[in-house]
Amino acid sequence: MRVIGPERRFSQVEVEVNDAGNFDDVVLRSSTGEPDILAQVKWATNPADLVNEGYLTATSGRSKSLLQKMYDSYVKLSGSGATPVLRLITNRALDHADPLLGHVDGRTDLLMPYAGQAELTSAAGRAVDRWADHVGASRLELLAMLEHLQFVTGRTVSAEEDHVRTLMVAAGLDGSASSLQHGLNTVASWVTGGRRIIPEEDIRSTVESLHPTPPSAILLVQAIDADPHAEDATIALNWVDLFDGDNAQVRVQPRCASDWARMEQEIMDAAAALERDGWRSTLIGGAMRQATFFRVGAALPRVRGHTLRYLQGGKLWSTDARKAAIPAPQLRRQQLDFGNDLAVAIGVAVDPTSAVIAYLKDNSVRASRLLTIQPGGGSDDQSIAGAGQAVAYAEAIRNLVREELDELPSTERIHLFMAGPGGLALLLGHRWNRTRVTTVYEHLGGHRGYTTAFEVDS
């Protein structure tokens, strides 16, 4: 998929080829002048075993250790011209207690610059010297290899399948489970049949029957967690460093409130770049929360001819999916008389009414009325069955808000609160036109209320 994807950075894929040293399992040949990518794949039947110094330096009989094999391959490959990107790919996780491998950069998968900056007498510095002695190199020679060696760890079958399906959709293919299995069977037949080099034209001829749609750009929004495949995106945004917390679950709002404006501007810049490059179909990916999903959808709206796609729970939701029949949404109104604005609570997964009212009162939000909209069968985390129902709910919610505004002609602003799947927030933002200027709120989790996030012009 990376060979035939919309970015077209590679001309062919090679499997277990000669002259690639220990990095011969999977080779991607660049078509852009950038370095080739050569990968060694290690699969552990017990993924609880970790990638640490012991794992890399272990030997059996007269065979060399994995670290020695990788260093020998680096020397061979770098001596023949430009050094490629070297990758160790494994389902083992990094040992975070290891003085060196516990510090692999989460964005680049490299040990540099950490290893190069380690004090000689520190635990990490002594580990660098041990590695160099183990492979028979100087410290500087070992560090030169680490400039090119990526540790791609913790891979799971399900995550890899989701990644491939994302690339299939971006390439204009059917991203269903059956199509994925067809692809896996095809590649397996190539390998067992002895094929080692597969050029782009052969891949394209194989997948011709799976081209139901035009290709899509990939917009990756890494709001609360980094994505291991950011390099595959047409545009990749990364805001993880703006948040406190060491995992996505606790990253809710940026440390500085002004960073919401920075994130909004980056979304708008990305949308403008996609339009400028002629993209009208975009696959959205990345870890983000409700308000960000909505803002992304609003930046690439339906009224400007955009089609958005998103893998929600492993199923493809598309803004152009045929609408499915849904029960009429439930509608409740509560008069607040704090001002002239309209507050809207979308309660798809849970009913947020009481939490929203408490926030509006505590923060003196100038809302005259709270409109709560729920699915016809009540709030439930499985209340939307698929893309068709999601499109129908997004359109129904927007239309109900428009009708409410007709009764409140003096309303100048909407305060929007959402509780539901990210894909619905994306689709709702995509259709949020002819309403009012909208302040979008993010829930802080637990009983901590909300915070203002983005402002969207209708």
Side-chain angles (χ1 to χ4, degrees):
M1 289 301 100
R2 297 190 68 190
V3 172
I4 66 170
E7 295 306 298
R8 294 181 176 85
R9 289 184 291 166
F10 303 100
S11 59
Q12 65 187 33
V13 63
E14 302 171 9
V15 182
E16 295 181 354
V17 293
N18 296 326
D19 301 321
N22 205 53
F23 294 95
D24 63 342
D25 287 340
V26 181
V27 176
L28 284 168
R29 296 298 181 190
S30 173
S31 59
T32 62
E34 298 178 6
D36 296 337
I37 297 176
L38 281 69
Q40 168 71 12
V41 181
K42 291 290 186 182
W43 178 262
T45 54
N46 182 9
D49 296 335
L50 301 176
V51 177
N52 52 29
E53 184 175 333
Y55 170 68
L56 294 183
T57 60
T59 59
S60 177
R62 294 185 177 182
S63 64
K64 292 185 176 182
S65 69
L66 178 57
L67 184 61
Q68 289 169 330
K69 293 176 181 178
M70 291 193 297
Y71 183 77
D72 290 348
S73 300
Y74 159 75
V75 172
K76 176 181 178 180
L77 293 167
S78 60
S80 60
T83 304
V85 174
L86 306 177
R87 288 180 176 167
L88 172 63
I89 301 176
T90 178
N91 60 331
R92 296 172 183 253
L94 289 169
D95 184 350
H96 292 290
D98 187 278
L100 262 185
L101 289 161
H103 296 275
V104 170
D105 190 300
R107 291 192 180 193
T108 65
D109 294 321
L110 294 170
L111 265 173
M112 298 293 279
Y114 179 82
Q117 296 172 350
E119 294 288 340
L120 295 178
T121 57
S122 68
R126 292 194 299 271
V128 171
D129 288 335
R130 287 195 303 272
W131 287 26
D133 290 342
H134 180 75
V135 302
S138 70
R139 180 186 183 89
L140 290 178
E141 288 170 334
L142 178 78
L143 292 175
M145 178 189 74
L146 295 181
E147 290 277 6
H148 301 276
L149 177 59
Q150 296 177 322
F151 293 87
V152 184
T153 58
R155 294 293 180 89
T156 64
V157 171
S158 59
E160 290 302 291
E161 288 178 344
D162 286 346
H163 174 226
V164 173
R165 291 177 66 186
T166 296
L167 294 182
M168 290 172 72
V169 173
L173 306 181
D174 173 12
S176 65
S178 60
S179 292
L180 171 64
Q181 190 59 54
H182 172 75
L184 293 172
N185 293 341
T186 300
V187 174
S189 69
W190 288 340
V191 176
T192 57
R195 293 199 64 184
R196 295 293 178 259
I197 300 176
I198 303 96
E200 178 182 354
E201 55 268 23
D202 288 4
I203 299 173
R204 290 194 179 280
S205 64
T206 301
V207 301
E208 279 181 353
S209 62
L210 304 176
H211 267 274
T213 62
S216 299
I218 300 177
L219 174 58
L220 181 66
V221 183
Q222 301 165 100
I224 56 175
D225 205 6
D227 190 285
H229 303 293
E231 64 188 346
D232 292 333
T234 310
I235 298 177
L237 307 179
N238 192 327
W239 307 323
V240 176
D241 290 344
L242 302 181
F243 294 77
D244 287 324
D246 58 3
N247 61 71
Q249 284 68 37
V250 299
R251 296 177 187 133
V252 180
Q253 61 179 334
R255 287 184 295 273
C256 299
S258 61
D259 284 334
W260 287 113
R262 168 188 163 177
M263 293 187 284
E264 183 165 46
Q265 187 59 54
E266 291 188 14
I267 291 172
M268 298 305 293
D269 290 346
L274 291 171
E275 284 200 349
R276 185 173 60 249
D277 292 342
W279 290 107
R280 284 298 181 269
S281 177
T282 303
L283 182 67
I284 306 299
M288 60 190 118
R289 298 190 184 278
Q290 295 276 304
T292 310
F293 273 112
F294 183 91
R295 192 64 191 89
V296 171
L300 295 163
R302 185 168 183 261
V303 294
R304 292 183 64 85
H306 288 280
T307 298
L308 305 183
R309 294 180 168 86
Y310 175 69
L311 283 172
Q312 174 72 53
K315 296 181 179 179
L316 184 66
W317 284 16
S318 178
T319 57
D320 65 352
R322 184 184 298 274
K323 286 186 291 185
I326 58 170
Q330 300 179 27
L331 192 65
R332 298 202 316 274
R333 297 177 179 87
Q334 181 152 342
Q335 289 301 124
L336 301 173
D337 299 324
F338 301 152
N340 291 325
D341 297 346
L342 173 65
V344 177
I346 310 300
V348 173
V350 297
D351 183 356
T353 301
S354 59
V356 170
I357 290 175
Y359 176 83
L360 295 172
K361 290 181 177 179
D362 291 346
N363 292 272
S364 302
V365 177
R366 295 178 52 80
S368 64
R369 179 183 296 178
L370 172 63
L371 181 70
T372 298
I373 303 173
Q374 297 174 264
S379 298
D380 186 281
D381 62 3
Q382 296 182 352
S383 58
I384 299 181
Q389 288 192 359
V391 169
Y393 270 114
E395 185 171 286
I397 291 168
R398 182 208 57 196
N399 290 344
L400 288 170
V401 172
R402 285 178 178 174
E403 292 170 7
E404 200 73 9
L405 291 170
D406 288 341
E407 297 182 12
L408 303 168
S410 62
T411 299
E412 296 182 355
R413 180 177 296 273
I414 296 170
H415 300 271
L416 181 63
F417 304 81
M418 293 173 287
L424 179 64
L426 179 74
L427 269 61
L428 185 60
H430 182 68
R431 278 174 156 76
W432 198 256
N433 65 306
R434 292 198 298 112
T435 53
R436 297 289 190 277
V437 172
T438 301
T439 300
V440 188
Y441 293 78
E442 189 59 78
H443 190 237
L444 297 176
H447 299 283
R448 294 181 294 163
Y450 295 85
T451 185
T452 56
F454 302 108
E455 184 168 292
V456 176
D457 291 332
S458 144

